[in-house]
Amino acid sequence: MSLIDAAREVRENAYAPYSNFKVGAAVRGRSGRVYSGCNVENVAYPEGTCAEAGAIAAMVAAGETELTEVAIIADSPHPVSPCGGCRQKLAEFGRHDTKVTLATIDGAVQETTIGALLPAGFSVEHMDRA
Ligand code: THU
């Protein structure tokens, strides 16, 4: 199954009763295995989690800490753009040139990279003097 198909499938399970905005995400680990996640909202709104966070958590729980590709899908007018926090989370486990596919359920697709989504991001080098 393609990464975008995995994201499309897991999106169906999103728990989004407050926003009604379901998101699906899938990441490919260095091993080639695919991990997927959906957004999980909460009545205490800040406790909700993004789809990307779920996919990354599944990858790490399976013992992988490197992702080689990302796909994110939602029912939006334009390919869904990950939030700032998720860009930082993706950067933790990917590289600048890691491919990210942003998509809508209508079939619109935008290809980008983690580096393009998070230019000049905070990284471990900034803590060199710590
Ligand atoms: N959301 C994601 O899961 N990923 C994104 O990239 C954008 C936003 C979720 C969070 C919340 O459950 C809903 O979409 C509306 O913000």
Side-chain angles (χ1 to χ4, degrees):
M1 186 188 291
S2 77
L3 212 55
I4 201 68
D5 284 345
R8 187 180 291 108
E9 189 176 290
V10 73
R11 178 184 165 275
E12 298 292 326
N13 295 336
Y15 178 75
Y18 306 106
S19 72
N20 283 314
F21 187 68
K22 293 184 166 198
V23 184
V27 300
R28 191 180 305 283
R30 169 64 58 201
S31 70
R33 280 183 65 186
V34 172
Y35 305 95
S36 56
C38 55
N39 50 333
V40 181
E41 299 185 346
N42 192 282
V43 63
Y45 293 179
E47 298 305 322
T49 52
C50 285
E52 296 87 332
I56 289 169
M59 180 187 77
V60 174
E64 296 205 55
T65 54
E66 211 182 326
L67 57 81
T68 60
E69 206 183 334
V70 182
I72 307 163
I73 193 166
D75 183 10
S76 48
H78 310 290
V80 63
S81 189
C83 78
C86 285
R87 294 173 193 220
Q88 186 76 37
K89 288 182 177 75
L90 292 169
E92 181 75 19
F93 299 103
R95 296 168 17 155
H96 255 59
D97 62 353
T98 301
K99 186 172 126 185
V100 181
T101 302
L102 309 176
T104 73
I105 60 169
D106 297 336
V109 172
Q110 184 191 336
E111 303 284 3
T112 185
T113 62
I114 289 178
L117 287 169
L118 191 67
F122 179 67
S123 71
V124 70
E125 287 96 63
H126 293 108
M127 298 196 298
D128 273 354
R129 293 188 189 168

